[in-house]
Amino acid sequence: MSTQMNSVLRLPESLTPEIQEISIAPVVAVPTDHPAGLIMADYLASMGLKVTLIHPFETVGAILETLNEEFVIDSAVEERFLALIARVEENKNISVLNNTRVSGGKGWWGDFSLLVDGEKEEALKASGIAFAYRKQAVVKKPFENDAIIGFREFSALLLKGKESITPTGKALQKLAFVLDLGKRDEKWASMTAIKLGTYLKKAFGVQVSILCRELKVSSDGMEKAYREAREAGVIIYKYLDEPQFEGGASLSINFRDTSFMSDDNPLDVSLEGLDLVVLQESFVTAEDEKALLDGLHIGLEGAYVAPNNPQFAGRTSRKGVVAAGNSRLPETLADMETTALAAAEELYQWTGNGTYGIDVQRVAEVDPSKCATCLTCYRICPHHSIRIEPYGERNVYITKGEKEGATWEAARVLVETCDGCGLCVSECPAKAIQLIYYPDMDVYGFLKENL
Amino acid sequence: MGSEKPKIVAFCCEESGMPAYEHAKSLGLPLPDALKVIALPCGGKAETGYIMKALDEGADAVMIFACYEGNCKYVQGNIRAKKRVDYLKTRLESLGILPEKIAFCPVAPASGARFAEMVQEEVQALDSRENKS
Ligand code: SF4
Ligand code: SF4
């Protein structure tokens, strides 16, 4: 064993890049009801793009009301945002559609259209889309009690500098976080509970318990945070079935814990005399956002792709569409502002230059004579970059007016928006797709030679 | 010259596995000489055909390094790869091949240490299986 050379097969650069110029009009749409939308509109307009801001309120200023709901803001922050509103209202590059909702969307990078219901129903054309919506936080309390609150409310308390005080005014000595209540996994809640719990334990000696169904440690930073929490004395339980809450003068939680023993051998645990219980809330997606995501085939998951490279903050799974604000995750004010700027910058890269050179080799290609039109690739392509179209002969596409001459229908990769990920290639049951720049034979050949 | 065994083929996602491999190299962490590294644009590109071909050509083990769940640049590529590996394992048994020969390994791009560790674990698993038989 040593650190000598291993045989490595790298992704090929296209051998002879074949660049196709396409033109993209510098026109974007910003559907929003969140301050992050204002930040993106402001940035994009200042870079010279034509921006349509679409929002459901009477005035642009009303978008700011959400700021108070979500974050703790002081007068300096307020001034900054009032100035932002003024800029947005004055900028000639921004046209504002007040009282307007989004009911759908379709298209591709360079050619999106949004269905909007305002004074009149219309389809709005845009090369790119930057959206930001709020999410409504819903805390499902087992019963009414001021000492049971959600994460968002708890963060607000902490930001006000009242770490050691509960909403009921008592000193905070015993605290429990309850995660994963009857809902899908979300990493942010584990992360927040672990970090806040460790801090409160260390700084104020608060006795902290974290109850979860499954602790999400599937990222490297998380493992470290988890260890630190353990070392600080934060107790982490894994409950088997929904914990039972009991109220009255003092709060308690009863549940069966499996963190010490196995699932078949749970321990009954009762946490008593709690001063505060923080529940993981669920977030309800805004109607407009849902319509937009459905129309564009992004889906909630695609809206918060969190790629390993933080440089891509704001990216969604589709080229030419970026997201910020709650459309990603609940975040702090500073994070919200940075993500919004990063998202706007990303969209500017895609839509700000007028024309683009695309290497038409770094994409996938369908052999229509093999395609069984099963629609697998159409369904799974993260960029929604595959259409089913009539073909003439290989790679000669029949345009609409020429339909008669078409011999069969087959999948076709849209060169402009394909990112060359190869997912369609590996899932096509007919083996009808290849990455032009990296055909399967490269891999097979390498294996043959090197094993 | 390095040793020719164990022959491990690592399919590496360009976004996570490859940077992790480079990181492991730059830290000088021990990796088997006979480790074969194949970059793929996404972990989800690790096809059944690739994995079977690698085993067919005599690989002792095949590892697929992809992003952690929720981190895929292409939303579901890593999940698809994982499902494919799980499915393939159920089929390998019926072909008389040990399912343990293939492993799905999520890794962060800056985690060369974890990359090397997982390869070492695979090497040890191979050793102990060899000793048993
Ligand atoms: S997955 Fe393959 S066979 Fe199915 S539609 Fe796409 S190219 Fe055609
Ligand atoms: S290579 Fe990826 S982006 Fe391109 S068509 Fe296939 S699945 Fe879509």
Side-chain angles (χ1 to χ4, degrees):
Chain A
M1 213 149 289
S2 76
T3 51
Q4 286 177 19
M5 288 303 289
N6 304 119
S7 327
V8 179
L9 176 63
R10 285 172 203 283
L11 289 195
E13 296 299 319
S14 291
L15 301 173
T16 40
E18 213 179 284
I19 306 293
Q20 182 184 308
E21 287 285 333
I22 57 165
S23 61
I24 301 278
V27 177
V28 292
V30 182
T32 189
D33 66 0
H34 191 280
L38 296 176
I39 297 176
M40 295 193 288
D42 179 45
Y43 177 88
L44 290 162
S46 74
M47 299 301 281
L49 279 82
K50 290 267 171 258
V51 180
T52 310
L53 182 74
I54 305 156
H55 72 91
F57 306 117
E58 292 285 331
T59 62
V60 180
I63 301 177
L64 271 202
E65 278 164 27
T66 64
L67 210 54
N68 273 317
E69 269 169 36
E70 205 181 330
F71 310 107
V72 184
I73 57 166
D74 56 23
S75 54
V77 175
E78 196 170 351
E79 253 168 52
R80 194 161 80 237
F81 275 91
L82 287 176
L84 171 66
I85 294 277
R87 279 204 304 280
V88 168
E89 282 177 333
E90 276 158 25
N91 198 317
K92 296 265 181 310
N93 281 340
I94 304 181
S95 42
V96 180
L97 297 180
N98 294 330
N99 286 321
T100 307
R101 313 203 66 113
V102 174
S103 54
K106 60 179 183 196
W108 287 264
W109 173 46
D111 186 22
F112 287 111
S113 46
L114 286 185
L115 295 177
V116 294
D117 283 323
E119 275 165 28
K120 54 183 188 318
E121 220 175 283
E122 58 180 325
L124 199 103
K125 288 274 180 202
S127 298
I129 298 171
F131 67 95
Y133 282 98
R134 344 179 202 176
K135 287 201 172 24
Q136 211 191 331
V138 183
V139 186
K140 292 210 184 75
K141 297 189 183 192
F143 41 78
E144 206 35 59
N145 189 317
D146 289 344
I148 304 182
I149 59 176
F151 272 77
R152 193 177 266 186
E153 198 182 326
F154 187 55
S155 310
L157 273 180
L158 292 184
L159 282 167
K160 283 188 186 127
K162 297 191 175 153
E163 286 95 338
S164 49
I165 299 187
T166 66
T168 51
K170 253 176 43 184
L172 179 55
Q173 286 170 342
K174 272 180 121 179
L175 162 72
F177 290 99
V178 185
L179 314 180
D180 310 334
L181 283 175
K183 59 185 307 297
R184 64 180 207 145
D185 295 352
E186 276 171 11
K187 265 190 258 177
W188 68 267
S190 304
M191 188 64 118
T192 314
I194 294 254
K195 286 195 169 159
L196 287 180
T198 313
Y199 165 67
L200 289 169
K201 173 81 190 170
K202 279 188 177 162
F204 301 97
V206 177
Q207 200 179 317
V208 181
S209 314
I210 298 176
L211 283 70
C212 56
R213 204 183 291 277
E214 206 62 69
L215 199 72
K216 267 64 76 189
V217 286
S218 63
S219 54
D220 289 337
M222 189 64 185
E223 272 169 44
K224 182 160 164 274
Y226 178 67
R227 208 170 46 239
E228 274 172 9
R230 282 259 153 128
E231 280 162 14
V234 171
I235 307 176
I236 297 162
Y237 296 101
K238 277 168 71 175
Y239 58 80
L240 197 57
D241 22 46
E242 299 277 292
Q244 299 301 311
F245 297 82
E246 271 170 41
S250 87
L251 272 171
S252 61
I253 311 178
N254 301 308
F255 58 97
R256 295 195 295 159
D257 171 54
T258 61
S259 64
F260 289 107
M261 314 290 270
S262 67
D263 277 11
D264 326 321
N265 208 353
L267 285 177
D268 285 325
V269 177
S270 181
L271 297 177
E272 282 163 4
L274 294 163
D275 305 313
L276 186 65
V277 173
V278 179
L279 297 185
Q280 175 176 353
E281 53 261 268
S282 18
F283 288 93
V284 182
T285 307
E287 289 285 315
D288 294 36
E289 179 175 1
K290 247 194 234 143
L292 186 70
L293 293 179
D294 285 354
L296 296 176
H297 297 264
I298 291 180
L300 280 180
E301 308 228 314
Y304 24 80
V305 194
N308 282 317
N309 191 339
Q311 177 192 331
F312 297 148
R315 249 191 203 184
T316 69
S317 64
R318 293 206 57 188
K319 208 184 236 183
V321 185
V322 296
N326 284 176
S327 293
R328 297 182 67 75
L329 292 172
E331 46 194 357
T332 63
L333 181 62
D335 285 346
M336 185 273 277
E337 295 187 75
T338 351
T339 319
L341 278 177
E345 168 71 33
E346 170 87 19
L347 191 63
Y348 172 71
Q349 303 289 349
W350 291 118
T351 48
N353 298 322
T355 63
Y356 286 80
I358 291 175
D359 183 351
V360 293
Q361 306 224 41
R362 290 197 80 79
V363 295
E365 183 182 49
V366 178
D367 177 350
S369 65
K370 289 187 186 162
C371 171
T373 339
C374 71
L375 305 191
T376 303
C377 56
Y378 174 84
R379 268 191 307 110
I380 65 164
C381 172
H383 293 279
H384 201 58
S385 189
I386 294 184
R387 292 195 234 181
I388 306 296
E389 287 187 3
Y391 277 75
E393 51 192 281
R394 184 161 196 258
N395 275 344
V396 177
Y397 304 110
I398 304 287
T399 51
K400 268 182 196 135
E402 295 172 299
K403 237 177 177 167
E404 281 90 78
T407 43
W408 63 79
E409 289 209 322
R412 179 197 156 193
V413 173
L414 219 81
V415 175
E416 296 89 320
T417 53
C418 170
D419 208 12
C421 66
L423 288 185
C424 56
V425 182
S426 46
E427 299 273 335
C428 170
K431 291 258 155 277
I433 320 180
Q434 285 289 312
L435 288 177
I436 302 180
Y437 73 107
Y438 196 22
D440 285 345
M441 282 326 289
D442 283 14
V443 173
Y444 290 130
F446 174 87
L447 287 170
K448 208 175 165 85
E449 253 167 53
N450 288 284
L451 282 172
Chain B
M1 275 316 289
S3 121
E4 289 301 305
K5 287 208 103 161
K7 285 188 200 164
I8 296 179
V9 174
F11 289 105
C12 293
C13 165
E14 182 71 4
E15 303 289 323
S16 53
M18 265 330 258
Y21 165 72
E22 304 288 1
H23 191 219
K25 288 299 263 189
S26 69
L27 293 176
L29 298 172
L31 292 169
D33 292 327
L35 178 74
K36 316 287 176 208
V37 179
I38 299 178
L40 297 174
C42 171
K45 182 71 176 68
E47 297 175 28
T48 320
Y50 290 1
I51 302 171
M52 291 310 287
K53 180 74 177 172
L55 292 173
D56 191 39
E57 294 285 353
D60 297 309
V62 178
M63 304 177 76
I64 291 114
F65 289 93
C67 300
Y68 281 110
E69 215 161 291
N71 279 10
C72 178
K73 183 176 169 196
Y74 302 108
V75 193
Q76 287 218 327
N78 51 355
I79 298 170
R80 281 180 185 281
K82 180 165 187 304
K83 284 201 179 137
R84 210 175 293 142
V85 168
D86 288 347
Y87 173 72
L88 200 55
K89 285 186 177 204
T90 65
R91 301 307 304 270
L92 282 186
E93 241 166 355
S94 63
L95 294 171
I97 303 174
L98 268 184
E100 288 84 7
K101 282 191 154 194
I102 48 179
F104 179 82
C105 314
V107 69
S111 193
R114 183 81 188 111
F115 184 96
E117 191 178 289
M118 283 192 277
V119 174
Q120 288 310 337
E121 281 166 13
E122 194 64 41
V123 172
Q124 276 157 19
L126 281 170
D127 279 353
S128 69
R129 281 207 295 275
E130 203 147 278
N131 290 340
K132 245 187 247 163
S133 60

